[in-house]
Amino acid sequence: MTAKPLAGKTALVTGSSHGMGKATARMLAEDGATVMIMGRRQEMLDQALADLRAAAPDARIEAFLGDAGQQASACAALDAAHALDGRLDIIVSAVGKGVYKPLLLCDEADMLDEFRAEVLTAFFMIRYGAPMMPAGGSIVCVSSTAGGFPCAGLGPYASAKAGLEMLVKVAALELGKAQVRVNAVRPGFTRGEGTAGMFEDPDVLASFTDFIPMARGGESDDLARALRFLAGPESGWVTGQILAADGGQELRGFPDPNPLLDQIYGPEIMTQLRSGKAQR
């Protein structure tokens, strides 16, 4: 019987109670890794654990309830994952947020919340996870097309994702001699908890699918395959890279933002914003 490619490896996947994080955890487990999933909501985490164990019954899969955006919780999850088999080989930082709101309606809390969700979660995994990893370790983060292309209505999120991508590159540069790789996947328009409404609105959906060269939105497994590739030995000579998995969306960027902004905020609010009279 041929050994599975990740047999003997241990992985921690944050933001893995749903979506691409959950799908990535499944693929890692199916390929032989011991997997620790992490999420903030007990009910969703329990359901994810049950689903993953059913999908990969021969794998060891455990769950950790916590917030990867809080240092103590992030470190506790890393310790728990390492304790499973006395090693930690793979970290996938898949926590994400993203709220549509024009910059002139954002406040300090909006910026800080996005920075914590997108950047600090990854920083904690890199800062406190890398020292636990043997040579050959791999850290993979989830960025976004918005990290490389401006998208109206996503100022805090896009700014944080751009910061995340530079964090990935600096970490890869510094950790290269330790033989620990750091990369990121850049999803395009993908179905998820935060974008479900956009997929259900035919007009919004069409504005993206008509714009994306492959003419469809992404699904969790589309991104999980890219994350799994960067996590495993198949990408052993790849570090400091931002891999777009977006159906070709990067070739065009984002659709015209004005219809979306008008739909979300209405013409009266947009008129106020454009005239500089929005209430502080």
Side-chain angles (χ1 to χ4, degrees):
M1 182 177 178
T2 303
K4 294 184 177 181
L6 299 180
K9 307 290 187 182
T10 299
L12 170 63
V13 186
T14 69
S16 48
S17 57
H18 59 88
M20 69 184 76
K22 179 180 175 181
T24 302
R26 187 193 79 238
M27 292 183 186
L28 294 171
E30 289 173 341
D31 278 344
T34 294
V35 178
M36 174 75 79
I37 62 172
M38 182 182 188
R40 294 184 297 115
R41 289 171 282 186
Q42 185 73 67
E43 185 175 354
M44 288 187 67
L45 190 64
D46 290 344
Q47 185 61 58
L49 182 61
D51 292 344
L52 290 169
R53 285 176 170 172
D58 296 331
R60 183 180 182 187
I61 308 172
E62 304 293 343
F64 186 93
L65 180 67
D67 184 350
Q70 301 294 328
Q71 180 177 321
S73 186
C75 289
L78 288 163
D79 288 340
H82 187 276
L84 292 177
D85 286 326
R87 61 185 300 143
L88 182 58
D89 304 273
I90 297 166
I91 299 172
V92 178
S93 180
V95 176
K97 195 175 180 182
V99 176
Y100 280 93
K101 183 186 286 190
L103 282 174
L104 296 184
L105 291 181
C106 292
D107 55 23
E108 179 181 357
D110 293 315
M111 294 297 294
L112 292 177
D113 285 350
E114 289 291 358
F115 188 87
R116 181 169 295 279
E118 314 300 341
V119 182
L120 275 182
T121 54
F123 169 73
F124 291 147
M125 290 297 110
I126 294 168
R127 167 62 182 86
Y128 299 105
M132 297 181 175
M133 306 181 93
S138 177
I139 301 172
V140 192
C141 302
V142 176
S143 183
S144 167
T145 304
F149 296 84
C151 180
L154 282 178
Y157 175 79
S159 300
K161 287 298 192 186
L164 168 64
E165 293 191 0
M166 186 54 67
L167 174 67
V168 164
K169 293 177 182 180
V170 172
L173 182 65
E174 294 188 4
L175 295 173
K177 286 189 176 180
Q179 302 300 306
V180 172
R181 300 182 297 112
V182 188
N183 294 286
V185 170
R186 184 187 275 179
F189 179 61
T190 304
R191 189 191 308 271
E193 193 175 30
T195 59
M198 298 171 72
F199 272 76
E200 294 168 2
D201 186 313
D203 293 334
V204 174
L205 180 61
S207 72
F208 278 90
T209 56
D210 291 349
F211 192 75
I212 294 172
M214 293 191 72
R216 70 172 178 87
E219 301 292 344
S220 293
D221 276 14
D222 292 319
L223 280 304
R225 293 186 191 100
L227 289 160
R228 162 64 187 86
F229 167 71
L230 290 175
E234 303 87 349
S235 59
W237 191 232
V238 179
T239 194
Q241 300 305 302
I242 313 298
L243 174 62
D246 61 2
Q249 184 178 338
E250 278 197 358
L251 300 173
R252 292 175 173 171
F254 284 90
D256 177 8
N258 287 306
L260 181 60
L261 288 172
D262 286 339
Q263 178 182 352
I264 294 174
Y265 304 108
E268 292 184 3
I269 293 179
M270 292 306 298
T271 298
Q272 292 178 357
L273 288 174
R274 289 166 180 147
S275 67
K277 296 179 181 179
Q279 183 177 358
R280 292 184 180 179

